[in-house]
Amino acid sequence: MTTPSTSPAPPARGRRRAPSRMERAAGRATALQRPRVLLALLLLLALTCVMLLDGYLRAEVGGDQRVRTGASASDVPDDVLDGGPILSFPGGQAATVSVPDKTIVLTFDDGPDPTWTPQVLEILEKYDVPGTFFLVGSMVSRHPGIVRDMVEQGNEVGVHTFTHVDLSYQSQARVTREIEQTQLALAGAAGITTTLFRAPYSSETDAIDNYSWPVYESLGQDGYTSVFIDTDSDDWKRPGVSKIVEWATPEDDEGASVLFHDAGGERSQTIEALPKYIEKMKAKGYTFTTVSGVMADQQPTGAGPAGGATGTTGSGDSLQAAHHEATGATLYEGKALIAAVAVAEWTVPALSVGLVVVGVAVMGRFAMMLVLARRHHRRRNSRRFGWGPPVTGPVSVIVPAYNEKECIEATLRSLARSTHPVEIIVVDDGSTDGTAEIAESLGLPGVRVVRQANAGKPAALNNGVRHARYDIVVMMDGDTVFEPDTVGRLVQPFADPSVGAVAGNAKVGNRRTLIGAWQHIEYVMGFNLDRRMYDLLRCMPTIPGAIGAFRREAVLQVGGMSDDTLAEDTDITIALHRAGWRVVYEEHARAWTEAPGTLGQLWSQRYRWSYGTMQALWKHRRSLTDKGPSGRFGRVGMPLVVLFQVVTPVFAPLIDVFTVYSMVFVDFRAALLAWLAVLAVQLVCAAYAFRLDREKYRYLLMMPLQQLAYRQMMYLVLIHSCVTALTGGRLRWQKLKRTGEVGTPAGTSGTG
């Protein structure tokens, strides 16, 4: 039990009161929580970044699959359109280079691919033939080892953009980004950059038009050499091995830049055709070289802006080797990119597996709740069902109160109208707002006020148990209102001598606001369906603090309410199970409670609930090995609570994350339909829960919005609690601000 604190004296006029010990402790606790909140948000941000990076790598951003055809080429110099396949800009002027006769430049597009590129490299190494590979940056970042092997083997590499888009449709900024990101990927993968470039969808010079020509000019001014082809194998059409070899063979012993593909689809025909092609060309006396090899031996044919010859010699900068060693920031940024992609490549598939597991668990939980809740309802409402002889003796009702001046009157007046004989014990836990005085001034019969120095709710409840005159004690919160028959219904299960505690049906009284309506849906659908399920399985994990009844003998047997955790209700419930007592749910005993009215208060309450539940589960972890009837909670309840209240909710955001991911990067319509299907299942469960509790269905209209906003907040709260638990943090009780809005019972459950 914590050391009681004294109530602070009122401040002197004109002087600011010094903060009390409790206020200073609360301030320190708040300060300690800020880093954990930041850590939780950083984890969420990191996951978001990983998902965005993975989606971007798969070239699905915006779904830009446009390919320009049939555009005019009036602005393109004729010598470029009719010149050789290698285009550079030495001295700032366009110049082309042709492949000499009896020479082949083998070029490959769209790689690297983990299946086909290694086979291509193996063939090239076997025949001692170099290749020039135009690589897609996203593929480079995902398969850096293949690129490293490619370069070490003596092959050349060039830029084929990062996401394989038609650059003629893109802004200058996008073009620059596509090139620079690919260079970073090459730097991280193989420690090099390159001056070679080939645009997607523009393999031959006649594909240059007025839209793409400025792109080539700009890149040329930056030192890039654009590489086109003379001969296309059209292997992507998969026409057959013989056709691929035939179409890739130049006529009349001419030299040629030849195009194959080592990625972008099923390339088994390419793999089969490539050695046949190499053998055929070698038999015809051809030699194989790279783009740089051609440029080093040939003099470019120049063209000015209007197509005039420039006569530039082949000794310019463009004739230098294509590869350059990556240094400085480029190298380190490239390595960081490769590392980030490696994380994304591992994380996303792992999360996908987790998504399947979570999805199955969530759907399984819904099915289990529906089946067991229906069975529970039919059994408990059967005419033949009964607990035993009616319980008519008086009971003690304990109301722990700390600064409840807005609510205490409504709470006590509701108890005074009880149809069951009760004594009411108000335990004032050091209130500073006159709560005790209000309770005494009401003059209600059977009400006793017990004062204590502030020591917390568990201590207040234990104090109330010590002062209780009767064998059955009902515990409730100071902001809760009972219906007249609530106590009578709540204590009937004690006719069974094996029952040690009874959980009542807590309902949200202030449901007229949006936040209140969301919590109303949660209470009816989640809490009460859960309790029906756990009751039938005989492993109820929590008796709600708002409404619960106990045998005084059972409470004393387990040592009373413990302050070891922030969820004293869960703690004592599990302790009662382990002591061999039965805990049941009485759906007809209703209590109306004031739910948090702001998001901040809601966060504080649920944060404490989540963290306290984890504390209680950890405290009673040895229940897993309990034997006999008292071990049922450990065998059944503990696994279910851990799975459904900790593990599944922690990973449940995967469903929403992957929904957004799929909408942006995969298939918007399919992802939306899948999300709506899950929502429909939840609506069915919620509608059935509302039917069992005889609630009005109109609140379900707010459920889609609840899934979009409220549920995400609950996920973040639980993640925050997990971070706190893993980092060894401790929380204090956090008093919620009350309004007294739940002034009288809402009547029967159907009033809405």
Side-chain angles (χ1 to χ4, degrees):
M1 184 178 298
T2 57
T3 303
S5 61
T6 59
S7 301
R13 185 183 299 269
R15 297 182 60 187
R16 183 179 180 183
R17 177 178 62 84
S20 67
R21 180 175 64 86
M22 283 192 63
E23 291 171 328
R24 291 194 300 270
R28 289 193 298 270
T30 301
L32 288 172
Q33 291 311 310
R34 292 194 186 104
R36 297 186 178 98
V37 174
L38 181 60
L39 179 58
L41 293 176
L42 287 176
L43 289 174
L44 181 62
L45 177 62
L47 176 61
T48 302
C49 291
V50 165
M51 300 294 291
L52 289 174
L53 176 59
D54 185 77
Y56 184 62
L57 291 175
R58 299 179 189 280
E60 296 289 346
V61 178
D64 192 349
Q65 302 297 321
R66 296 173 295 175
V67 179
R68 194 184 300 278
T69 58
S72 172
S74 59
D75 295 340
V76 184
D78 293 338
D79 286 354
V80 171
L81 294 174
D82 301 330
I86 302 174
L87 171 65
S88 60
F89 287 77
Q93 302 296 325
T96 62
V97 172
S98 298
V99 179
D101 292 344
K102 290 280 189 174
T103 304
I104 294 293
V105 176
L106 273 179
T107 68
F108 299 87
D109 278 6
D110 299 345
D113 181 275
T115 300
W116 309 113
T117 303
Q119 297 182 57
V120 170
L121 292 177
E122 185 178 350
I123 293 170
L124 296 182
E125 184 176 30
K126 175 181 177 181
Y127 288 95
D128 194 23
V129 169
T132 302
F133 292 81
F134 291 91
L135 305 176
V136 177
S138 60
M139 300 292 288
V140 173
S141 61
R142 293 167 63 191
H143 309 292
I146 298 175
V147 179
R148 192 177 306 114
D149 294 341
M150 184 184 294
V151 173
E152 290 176 354
Q153 189 175 309
N155 300 288
E156 278 189 337
V157 298
V159 172
H160 200 45
T161 73
F162 195 83
T163 59
H164 203 273
V165 293
D166 189 337
L167 295 181
S168 67
Y169 282 104
Q170 311 306 321
S171 65
Q172 182 59 47
R174 175 68 182 271
V175 172
T176 300
R177 188 166 67 250
E178 290 281 335
I179 303 301
E180 290 180 349
Q181 289 173 343
T182 305
Q183 294 283 28
L184 286 178
L186 289 173
I192 62 161
T193 58
T194 181
T195 59
L196 301 183
F197 169 77
R198 175 179 288 163
Y201 313 110
S202 301
S203 58
E204 298 180 358
T205 54
D206 61 9
I208 305 174
D209 55 35
N210 293 343
Y211 296 96
S212 60
W213 176 241
V215 175
Y216 292 109
E217 283 189 304
S218 176
L219 292 175
Q221 301 301 327
D222 291 337
Y224 283 94
T225 297
S226 297
V227 181
F228 299 88
I229 63 168
D230 299 294
T231 304
D232 191 346
S233 69
D234 279 337
D235 57 341
W236 61 275
K237 297 179 181 178
R238 303 187 66 208
V241 173
S242 60
K243 285 292 185 181
I244 293 175
V245 173
E246 177 186 346
W247 292 346
T249 303
E251 299 178 355
D252 303 325
D253 294 336
E254 294 177 349
S257 171
V258 182
L259 174 61
F260 287 87
H261 293 81
D262 64 319
E266 207 278 339
R267 297 289 176 249
S268 59
Q269 290 187 5
T270 301
I271 299 302
E272 188 177 351
L274 187 57
K276 298 181 184 299
Y277 176 75
I278 294 174
E279 291 172 357
K280 174 182 177 180
M281 301 314 294
K282 283 189 173 184
K284 295 180 66 173
Y286 275 78
T287 59
F288 291 83
T289 187
T290 61
V291 172
S292 295
V294 170
M295 294 180 68
D297 296 333
Q298 296 295 306
Q299 178 174 325
T301 299
T310 64
T312 304
T313 65
S315 59
D317 293 339
S318 64
L319 304 185
Q320 301 300 316
H323 294 176
H324 300 279
E325 182 180 358
T327 58
T330 300
L331 178 62
Y332 291 110
E333 289 177 14
K335 290 184 178 296
L337 173 63
I338 297 300
V341 172
V343 172
E345 286 287 288
W346 175 86
T347 302
V348 174
L351 292 178
S352 300
V353 174
L355 173 63
V356 174
V357 174
V358 170
V360 171
V362 169
M363 292 298 105
R365 181 192 183 192
F366 286 149
M368 183 184 298
M369 284 196 305
L370 285 177
V371 172
L372 296 183
R374 181 174 183 271
R375 184 178 301 176
H376 179 276
H377 177 75
R378 295 181 65 180
R379 179 180 297 180
R380 291 295 169 82
N381 291 275
S382 170
R383 293 182 179 180
R384 295 189 299 271
F385 178 80
W387 293 104
V391 177
T392 58
V395 300
S396 300
V397 180
I398 302 172
V399 185
Y402 173 72
N403 289 348
E404 300 283 2
K405 68 177 182 179
E406 295 86 1
C407 310
I408 193 65
E409 180 176 351
T411 298
L412 296 180
R413 290 192 183 280
S414 74
L415 291 174
R417 288 191 292 268
S418 175
T419 58
H420 193 94
V422 297
E423 70 158 347
I424 305 168
I425 304 171
V426 179
V427 183
D428 182 73
D429 188 34
S431 297
T432 59
D433 65 348
T435 296
E437 288 74 12
I438 294 173
E440 290 175 330
S441 68
L442 296 175
L444 296 174
V447 175
R448 285 189 290 151
V449 177
V450 177
R451 288 178 169 86
Q452 67 175 38
N454 181 263
K457 184 178 179 181
L461 291 171
N462 287 332
N463 200 0
V465 171
R466 285 193 293 270
H467 284 81
R469 297 191 179 105
Y470 302 112
D471 294 334
I472 296 176
V473 293
V474 174
M475 298 181 184
M476 64 184 298
D477 289 336
D479 62 343
T480 301
V481 171
F482 278 9
E483 295 176 4
D485 64 350
T486 294
V487 174
R489 290 180 178 274
L490 186 64
V491 300
Q492 293 311 307
F494 289 109
D496 182 344
S498 68
V499 172
V502 182
N505 188 348
K507 307 187 77 63
V508 175
N510 53 328
R511 60 180 70 173
R512 295 177 181 175
T513 65
L514 182 62
I515 298 177
W518 285 344
Q519 293 176 82
H520 171 51
I521 296 172
E522 179 186 27
Y523 272 55
V524 175
M525 177 185 174
F527 296 168
N528 290 332
L529 278 185
D530 270 349
R531 289 195 180 102
R532 295 176 194 274
M533 176 182 72
Y534 286 123
D535 187 7
L536 201 62
L537 296 175
R538 304 188 70 169
C539 57
M540 181 86 63
T542 304
I543 297 172
I547 176 170
F550 301 82
R551 289 190 190 275
R552 188 169 182 270
E553 171 194 356
V555 173
L556 296 176
Q557 179 183 346
V558 298
M561 309 297 287
S562 171
D563 62 358
D564 291 342
T565 75
L566 291 175
E568 79 290 334
D569 44 8
T570 300
D571 190 350
I572 194 170
T573 305
I574 299 176
L576 290 173
H577 280 294
R578 300 187 68 187
W581 291 99
R582 185 180 174 192
V583 180
V584 300
Y585 173 55
E586 176 48 64
E587 61 184 281
H588 300 296
R590 292 181 290 266
W592 299 82
T593 186
E594 181 177 337
T598 66
L599 292 178
Q601 292 177 353
L602 179 62
W603 182 287
S604 297
Q605 183 197 66
R606 298 311 170 84
Y607 184 28
R608 177 178 60 80
W609 284 5
S610 298
Y611 187 70
T613 298
M614 293 179 192
Q615 288 179 310
L617 293 175
W618 180 253
K619 176 181 176 180
H620 294 282
R621 61 191 180 276
R622 289 190 174 84
S623 65
L624 292 169
T625 59
D626 288 346
K627 306 296 183 181
S630 62
R632 183 171 180 79
F633 179 83
R635 295 191 302 270
V636 181
M638 178 73 80
L640 288 178
V641 173
V642 171
L643 177 62
F644 291 150
Q645 293 184 219
V646 180
V647 177
T648 300
V650 164
F651 290 98
L654 291 177
I655 297 175
D656 301 295
V657 169
F658 269 89
T659 298
V660 176
Y661 174 86
S662 300
M663 286 181 176
V664 176
F665 299 115
V666 185
D667 188 326
F668 177 86
R669 181 180 179 184
L672 179 61
L673 290 176
W675 184 82
L676 291 175
V678 174
L679 177 61
V681 172
Q682 292 176 311
L683 277 171
V684 170
C685 291
Y688 185 67
F690 271 57
R691 178 187 174 188
L692 293 183
D693 267 21
R694 298 182 181 178
E695 292 285 353
K696 291 187 176 181
Y697 295 117
R698 66 170 182 259
Y699 291 99
L700 296 180
L701 295 175
M702 300 182 185
M703 193 167 178
L705 185 59
Q706 184 204 41
Q707 299 301 299
L708 291 172
Y710 180 83
R711 189 178 66 172
Q712 317 309 318
M713 180 179 177
M714 295 301 100
Y715 292 157
L716 293 177
V717 168
L718 185 57
I719 292 172
H720 186 190
S721 302
C722 290
V723 171
T724 302
L726 292 174
T727 55
R730 290 188 62 84
L731 298 181
R732 292 182 54 84
W733 260 87
Q734 297 169 338
K735 169 68 178 174
L736 300 180
K737 183 178 179 180
R738 301 302 184 186
T739 65
E741 183 177 351
V742 186
T744 57
T748 61
S749 255
T751 62

